[in-house]
Amino acid sequence: MKFGTTPDGQPVERIQLSNGRLSVAVLTLGAIIQSIELPDGADVVLGLDSVSDYLERSRYFGAVVGRFGNRIADGAFTLDGVPYELARNNNGHALHGGLKGFDKRVWSASRDGDHAVRLSLVSEDGEEGYPGRLSVSVTYTLDGDELQIAYEATTDAPTVLNLTNHSYFNLADAPDVRGHVLTMEADGYLEVDEGKIPVPGGPVPVAGTPYDFTTPTAIGERLEGRYDHCYVLRPGGGIVVEEPVSGRSMRVRTTEPGVQFYTGHMLDGVVTPYQAFAGFCLETQHFPDSPNRPDFPSTVLRPGEVHRSETGYRFDCNRL
Protein backbone atom coordinates (compact mmCIF):
# COMPACT_ATOMS: atom_id res chain seq x y z
CA MET A 1 0.00 0.00 0.00
CA LYS A 2 1.12 3.57 -0.58
CA PHE A 3 2.70 5.20 2.48
CA GLY A 4 3.51 8.60 0.99
CA THR A 5 5.66 10.50 -1.48
CA THR A 6 9.15 11.99 -1.20
CA PRO A 7 9.68 15.71 -1.93
CA ASP A 8 10.99 14.83 -5.40
CA GLY A 9 7.85 12.83 -6.21
CA GLN A 10 8.95 9.24 -5.58
CA PRO A 11 6.21 7.02 -4.15
CA VAL A 12 6.98 5.19 -0.93
CA GLU A 13 5.28 1.85 -0.33
CA ARG A 14 4.42 0.15 2.96
CA ILE A 15 4.73 -3.64 2.77
CA GLN A 16 3.09 -5.81 5.41
CA LEU A 17 4.64 -9.20 6.19
CA SER A 18 2.91 -11.79 8.37
CA ASN A 19 3.34 -15.47 9.17
CA GLY A 20 0.79 -15.97 11.95
CA ARG A 21 3.38 -15.25 14.64
CA LEU A 22 5.04 -11.97 13.68
CA SER A 23 3.63 -9.04 11.72
CA VAL A 24 6.24 -6.67 10.28
CA ALA A 25 5.74 -3.46 8.28
CA VAL A 26 8.56 -2.49 5.91
CA LEU A 27 8.89 0.76 3.95
CA THR A 28 10.62 1.13 0.60
CA LEU A 29 12.10 4.38 1.95
CA GLY A 30 15.38 3.38 3.57
CA ALA A 31 14.32 -0.31 3.68
CA ILE A 32 12.87 0.80 7.01
CA ILE A 33 11.35 -1.59 9.53
CA GLN A 34 8.43 0.53 10.68
CA SER A 35 6.89 -1.95 13.12
CA ILE A 36 7.31 -5.44 14.53
CA GLU A 37 4.16 -6.74 16.17
CA LEU A 38 4.46 -9.78 18.44
CA PRO A 39 1.75 -12.39 19.09
CA ASP A 40 0.66 -10.51 22.23
CA GLY A 41 -0.05 -7.40 20.10
CA ALA A 42 2.96 -5.36 21.25
CA ASP A 43 4.88 -3.30 18.68
CA VAL A 44 8.52 -3.55 19.80
CA VAL A 45 10.29 -1.05 17.50
CA LEU A 46 10.07 2.73 17.35
CA GLY A 47 8.36 3.94 14.18
CA LEU A 48 7.14 7.17 12.61
CA ASP A 49 3.93 8.08 10.83
CA SER A 50 4.94 9.81 7.59
CA VAL A 51 7.60 10.17 4.91
CA SER A 52 8.35 13.70 6.08
CA ASP A 53 8.91 12.46 9.64
CA TYR A 54 11.41 9.88 8.42
CA LEU A 55 13.23 12.45 6.30
CA GLU A 56 13.18 15.28 8.84
CA ARG A 57 12.73 13.89 12.38
CA SER A 58 14.26 10.42 12.22
CA ARG A 59 17.45 9.32 13.90
CA TYR A 60 17.74 6.42 11.44
CA PHE A 61 14.67 4.72 12.95
CA GLY A 62 14.44 1.20 11.51
CA ALA A 63 16.56 1.99 8.43
CA VAL A 64 19.31 0.15 6.62
CA VAL A 65 22.31 2.47 6.83
CA GLY A 66 25.14 2.55 4.30
CA ARG A 67 27.22 2.61 2.28
CA PHE A 68 29.18 2.53 5.54
CA GLY A 69 27.33 2.21 8.83
CA ASN A 70 28.96 3.88 11.84
CA ARG A 71 31.79 6.42 11.57
CA ILE A 72 34.82 6.96 9.36
CA ALA A 73 37.34 9.36 10.92
CA ASP A 74 37.64 12.78 9.27
CA GLY A 75 35.44 11.54 6.41
CA ALA A 76 38.47 10.16 4.58
CA PHE A 77 40.27 6.92 3.77
CA THR A 78 42.79 5.53 1.31
CA LEU A 79 42.13 2.38 -0.72
CA ASP A 80 44.77 0.80 -2.97
CA GLY A 81 46.81 3.99 -2.67
CA VAL A 82 43.94 6.25 -3.79
CA PRO A 83 42.61 8.81 -1.26
CA TYR A 84 38.85 9.36 -0.98
CA GLU A 85 36.99 12.24 0.65
CA LEU A 86 33.48 11.55 1.98
CA ALA A 87 30.59 13.72 3.06
CA ARG A 88 31.24 14.81 6.65
CA ASN A 89 27.96 14.83 8.50
CA ASN A 90 28.89 14.16 12.13
CA ASN A 91 31.34 16.46 13.91
CA GLY A 92 33.77 16.37 11.01
CA HIS A 93 33.41 12.63 10.47
CA ALA A 94 31.39 10.51 8.03
CA LEU A 95 28.42 8.74 9.66
CA HIS A 96 26.02 6.11 8.28
CA GLY A 97 26.70 6.83 4.62
CA GLY A 98 26.69 10.63 4.60
CA LEU A 99 24.18 13.36 3.86
CA LYS A 100 21.97 11.12 1.71
CA GLY A 101 22.73 7.60 2.79
CA PHE A 102 20.75 4.47 2.09
CA ASP A 103 18.27 5.44 4.82
CA LYS A 104 17.04 8.33 2.62
CA ARG A 105 16.90 6.38 -0.65
CA VAL A 106 13.80 4.71 -2.08
CA TRP A 107 14.47 1.01 -2.67
CA SER A 108 12.84 -1.30 -5.21
CA ALA A 109 10.80 -4.10 -3.65
CA SER A 110 9.99 -7.66 -4.70
CA ARG A 111 7.71 -9.73 -2.46
CA ASP A 112 7.93 -13.46 -1.81
CA GLY A 113 4.43 -14.24 -0.61
CA ASP A 114 3.32 -12.94 2.79
CA HIS A 115 6.47 -13.81 4.69
CA ALA A 116 9.39 -12.19 2.80
CA VAL A 117 10.41 -9.14 0.77
CA ARG A 118 13.62 -8.26 -1.06
CA LEU A 119 14.57 -4.61 -1.38
CA SER A 120 17.34 -3.44 -3.68
CA LEU A 121 19.07 -0.30 -4.90
CA VAL A 122 22.08 0.87 -6.87
CA SER A 123 24.56 3.33 -5.40
CA GLU A 124 26.43 5.01 -8.24
CA ASP A 125 30.17 5.54 -8.31
CA GLY A 126 31.05 8.68 -6.36
CA GLU A 127 27.84 8.94 -4.30
CA GLU A 128 28.73 10.63 -1.01
CA GLY A 129 32.37 10.21 -2.08
CA TYR A 130 32.44 6.40 -2.16
CA PRO A 131 34.08 4.64 -5.12
CA GLY A 132 32.46 1.98 -7.28
CA ARG A 133 28.96 1.33 -8.56
CA LEU A 134 27.41 -0.77 -5.80
CA SER A 135 24.40 -3.05 -6.21
CA VAL A 136 22.91 -3.93 -2.84
CA SER A 137 19.91 -5.84 -1.55
CA VAL A 138 18.37 -6.65 1.81
CA THR A 139 15.85 -9.44 2.31
CA TYR A 140 13.50 -9.54 5.29
CA THR A 141 12.08 -13.00 6.03
CA LEU A 142 9.74 -14.16 8.77
CA ASP A 143 10.52 -17.66 10.05
CA GLY A 144 8.45 -18.62 13.07
CA ASP A 145 9.28 -16.12 15.81
CA GLU A 146 12.38 -14.81 14.02
CA LEU A 147 12.86 -11.86 11.69
CA GLN A 148 15.80 -12.66 9.45
CA ILE A 149 17.78 -9.94 7.65
CA ALA A 150 20.06 -10.99 4.78
CA TYR A 151 22.34 -8.50 3.02
CA GLU A 152 24.03 -8.96 -0.35
CA ALA A 153 26.15 -6.59 -2.43
CA THR A 154 28.48 -6.45 -5.44
CA THR A 155 30.63 -3.68 -6.89
CA ASP A 156 32.34 -2.84 -10.18
CA ALA A 157 35.34 -1.20 -8.46
CA PRO A 158 37.06 -1.59 -5.08
CA THR A 159 35.06 0.07 -2.31
CA VAL A 160 34.27 -0.18 1.39
CA LEU A 161 31.00 -1.44 2.81
CA ASN A 162 29.41 -1.83 6.24
CA LEU A 163 25.66 -2.46 6.18
CA THR A 164 23.44 -2.65 9.24
CA ASN A 165 19.88 -2.09 10.41
CA HIS A 166 19.26 0.78 12.83
CA SER A 167 16.03 -0.29 14.52
CA TYR A 168 15.32 0.99 18.02
CA PHE A 169 13.79 -1.76 20.16
CA ASN A 170 11.62 -1.49 23.25
CA LEU A 171 10.16 -4.72 24.68
CA ALA A 172 8.43 -2.96 27.59
CA ASP A 173 5.03 -1.41 28.05
CA ALA A 174 6.77 1.82 29.11
CA PRO A 175 8.81 4.49 27.27
CA ASP A 176 12.15 3.68 28.94
CA VAL A 177 14.44 0.73 28.18
CA ARG A 178 16.82 0.95 31.13
CA GLY A 179 15.02 -1.86 32.94
CA HIS A 180 15.76 -4.30 30.11
CA VAL A 181 18.30 -7.00 31.04
CA LEU A 182 21.08 -7.56 28.50
CA THR A 183 23.41 -10.53 28.07
CA MET A 184 26.04 -10.26 25.35
CA GLU A 185 28.69 -12.80 24.39
CA ALA A 186 31.33 -10.13 23.90
CA ASP A 187 34.59 -10.07 25.84
CA GLY A 188 35.81 -6.76 24.44
CA TYR A 189 34.65 -3.37 23.23
CA LEU A 190 36.19 -0.51 21.28
CA GLU A 191 37.17 2.48 23.36
CA VAL A 192 36.44 5.73 21.50
CA ASP A 193 37.49 9.37 21.65
CA GLU A 194 35.17 12.39 21.97
CA GLY A 195 34.20 12.04 18.29
CA LYS A 196 33.31 8.36 18.86
CA ILE A 197 36.22 7.20 16.73
CA PRO A 198 38.07 4.09 18.04
CA VAL A 199 41.32 5.02 19.75
CA PRO A 200 44.61 3.30 18.77
CA GLY A 201 45.03 -0.20 20.07
CA GLY A 202 42.87 -3.29 20.06
CA PRO A 203 39.63 -4.07 21.84
CA VAL A 204 39.52 -3.36 25.56
CA PRO A 205 38.48 -6.29 27.79
CA VAL A 206 35.06 -5.71 29.35
CA ALA A 207 35.88 -7.69 32.49
CA GLY A 208 35.75 -5.48 35.57
CA THR A 209 34.34 -2.49 33.64
CA PRO A 210 30.84 -0.96 33.34
CA TYR A 211 30.77 -2.34 29.79
CA ASP A 212 30.59 -5.99 30.86
CA PHE A 213 27.34 -7.67 29.81
CA THR A 214 28.68 -11.23 29.72
CA THR A 215 26.26 -11.97 32.56
CA PRO A 216 22.66 -10.66 32.66
CA THR A 217 22.72 -6.99 33.64
CA ALA A 218 20.09 -4.26 33.55
CA ILE A 219 20.92 -1.62 30.94
CA GLY A 220 20.46 1.19 33.45
CA GLU A 221 22.47 -0.39 36.25
CA ARG A 222 25.71 1.39 35.32
CA LEU A 223 26.78 4.61 33.55
CA GLU A 224 23.17 5.81 33.89
CA GLY A 225 22.45 3.46 31.00
CA ARG A 226 24.38 5.62 28.51
CA TYR A 227 26.01 3.33 25.95
CA ASP A 228 27.06 3.96 22.36
CA HIS A 229 29.89 1.50 21.80
CA CYS A 230 30.90 -1.24 19.40
CA TYR A 231 31.28 -4.63 21.07
CA VAL A 232 33.47 -7.41 19.70
CA LEU A 233 31.41 -10.57 19.67
CA ARG A 234 32.81 -13.99 20.38
CA PRO A 235 32.84 -16.20 17.24
CA GLY A 236 29.23 -17.29 16.87
CA GLY A 237 28.37 -15.21 19.92
CA GLY A 238 24.80 -14.17 20.55
CA ILE A 239 22.85 -11.54 22.43
CA VAL A 240 19.79 -11.87 24.67
CA VAL A 241 17.60 -9.00 25.87
CA GLU A 242 14.87 -9.66 28.45
CA GLU A 243 12.21 -7.30 29.77
CA PRO A 244 11.17 -8.70 33.17
CA VAL A 245 7.87 -6.84 33.57
CA SER A 246 6.34 -7.66 30.18
CA GLY A 247 7.95 -11.09 29.96
CA ARG A 248 9.16 -10.38 26.41
CA SER A 249 12.63 -11.26 25.17
CA MET A 250 14.72 -11.01 22.03
CA ARG A 251 17.65 -13.16 20.91
CA VAL A 252 20.07 -11.81 18.31
CA ARG A 253 22.39 -13.88 16.13
CA THR A 254 24.67 -12.57 13.40
CA THR A 255 27.49 -13.38 11.03
CA GLU A 256 29.03 -9.97 11.76
CA PRO A 257 32.04 -9.59 14.10
CA GLY A 258 30.60 -6.73 16.13
CA VAL A 259 27.51 -4.92 17.32
CA GLN A 260 26.97 -1.24 18.11
CA PHE A 261 25.00 -1.04 21.34
CA TYR A 262 23.24 2.33 21.64
CA THR A 263 20.68 3.12 24.33
CA GLY A 264 18.94 6.07 22.68
CA HIS A 265 20.04 8.52 25.37
CA MET A 266 20.51 11.24 22.73
CA LEU A 267 16.88 11.14 21.62
CA ASP A 268 15.50 14.51 22.65
CA GLY A 269 11.72 14.41 22.34
CA VAL A 270 11.83 17.62 20.26
CA VAL A 271 13.53 16.89 16.95
CA THR A 272 12.44 13.27 17.34
CA PRO A 273 9.05 12.37 18.81
CA TYR A 274 10.71 10.08 21.34
CA GLN A 275 12.34 10.93 24.65
CA ALA A 276 15.77 9.75 25.79
CA PHE A 277 16.03 6.00 26.44
CA ALA A 278 12.84 5.25 24.50
CA GLY A 279 14.61 2.50 22.55
CA PHE A 280 17.92 0.67 22.27
CA CYS A 281 19.81 -0.35 19.13
CA LEU A 282 21.82 -3.50 18.47
CA GLU A 283 23.41 -2.69 15.11
CA THR A 284 25.24 -5.82 13.95
CA GLN A 285 28.20 -4.72 11.84
CA HIS A 286 31.93 -4.49 11.20
CA PHE A 287 33.88 -2.03 13.32
CA PRO A 288 33.77 1.77 12.97
CA ASP A 289 36.60 3.43 11.04
CA SER A 290 37.68 0.06 9.62
CA PRO A 291 38.89 1.61 6.31
CA ASN A 292 41.57 3.42 8.34
CA ARG A 293 42.37 0.53 10.66
CA PRO A 294 44.25 -2.38 9.03
CA ASP A 295 44.14 -4.16 12.41
CA PHE A 296 40.33 -4.42 12.16
CA PRO A 297 38.43 -7.00 10.05
CA SER A 298 38.39 -5.72 6.47
CA THR A 299 35.37 -3.93 5.03
CA VAL A 300 36.82 -3.82 1.49
CA LEU A 301 34.64 -5.23 -1.30
CA ARG A 302 36.19 -5.90 -4.71
CA PRO A 303 34.82 -6.70 -8.17
CA GLY A 304 33.99 -10.39 -8.52
CA GLU A 305 33.26 -10.74 -4.80
CA VAL A 306 29.83 -10.97 -3.21
CA HIS A 307 29.26 -9.44 0.19
CA ARG A 308 26.86 -11.51 2.28
CA SER A 309 25.84 -11.19 5.91
CA GLU A 310 22.87 -12.23 7.99
CA THR A 311 21.28 -11.23 11.28
CA GLY A 312 18.29 -12.74 13.04
CA TYR A 313 16.05 -11.30 15.76
CA ARG A 314 14.01 -13.97 17.57
CA PHE A 315 11.21 -12.84 19.87
CA ASP A 316 9.40 -14.55 22.72
CA CYS A 317 6.41 -13.59 24.84
CA ASN A 318 6.63 -15.61 28.04
CA ARG A 319 3.17 -14.51 29.13
CA LEU A 320 1.51 -16.44 26.30
Side-chain angles (χ1 to χ4, degrees), residues 22 24 33-38 43-47 60-63 140 147 149 164-172 174-178 180 219 239 241 243 249-252 259-264 267 274 277-284 311-315:
L22 300 177
V24 175
I33 297 173
Q34 186 192 28
S35 66
I36 301 176
E37 187 173 316
L38 304 191
D43 182 0
V44 294
V45 295
L46 307 189
Y60 305 101
F61 291 120
Y140 296 119
L147 170 61
I149 308 177
T164 189
N165 181 274
H166 205 293
S167 287
Y168 290 75
F169 296 95
N170 185 333
L171 306 178
D176 193 310
V177 298
R178 284 174 287 185
H180 289 57
I219 289 174
I239 303 165
V241 185
E243 207 293 303
S249 64
M250 179 176 75
R251 295 178 179 271
V252 184
V259 59
Q260 186 80 11
F261 174 48
Y262 170 49
T263 52
L267 299 177
Y274 294 103
F277 301 104
F280 64 89
C281 299
L282 290 168
E283 305 159 55
T284 57
T311 293
Y313 297 95
R314 183 176 297 277
F315 300 93

Side-chain angles (χ1 to χ4, degrees), residues 1-170:
M1 60 176 291
K2 187 173 181 179
F3 181 70
T5 305
T6 64
D8 61 356
Q10 295 184 81
V12 175
E13 300 297 318
R14 184 178 189 268
I15 300 165
Q16 192 73 42
L17 304 179
S18 180
N19 67 348
R21 293 294 296 171
L22 300 177
S23 182
V24 175
V26 176
L27 305 180
T28 53
L29 175 66
I32 287 167
I33 297 173
Q34 186 192 28
S35 66
I36 301 176
E37 187 173 316
L38 304 191
D40 67 356
D43 182 0
V44 294
V45 295
L46 307 189
L48 301 175
D49 296 327
S50 69
V51 170
S52 61
D53 280 347
Y54 277 108
L55 293 177
E56 298 168 11
R57 306 188 69 191
S58 178
R59 289 297 178 265
Y60 305 101
F61 291 120
V64 170
V65 293
R67 184 174 303 195
F68 197 94
N70 219 313
R71 293 166 177 84
I72 296 178
D74 300 320
F77 67 93
T78 299
L79 178 58
D80 295 341
V82 180
Y84 294 96
E85 294 287 334
L86 309 174
R88 300 178 183 181
N89 61 322
N90 185 255
N91 299 319
H93 307 302
L95 173 67
H96 292 336
L99 298 173
K100 188 176 181 180
F102 293 174
D103 61 298
K104 294 181 176 64
R105 297 281 304 278
V106 176
W107 299 52
S108 299
S110 176
R111 292 194 63 140
D112 181 6
D114 293 332
H115 69 287
V117 62
R118 181 178 184 267
L119 299 109
S120 59
L121 63 77
V122 173
S123 175
E124 297 292 348
D125 177 38
E127 280 188 10
E128 301 296 317
Y130 290 94
R133 186 177 191 266
L134 185 79
S135 298
V136 59
S137 70
V138 57
T139 301
Y140 296 119
T141 303
L142 302 183
D143 183 5
D145 291 310
E146 184 175 72
L147 170 61
Q148 299 171 353
I149 308 177
Y151 304 93
E152 188 171 300
T154 58
T155 182
D156 68 355
T159 191
V160 295
L161 181 69
N162 191 22
L163 299 172
T164 189
N165 181 274
H166 205 293
S167 287
Y168 290 75
F169 296 95
N170 185 333

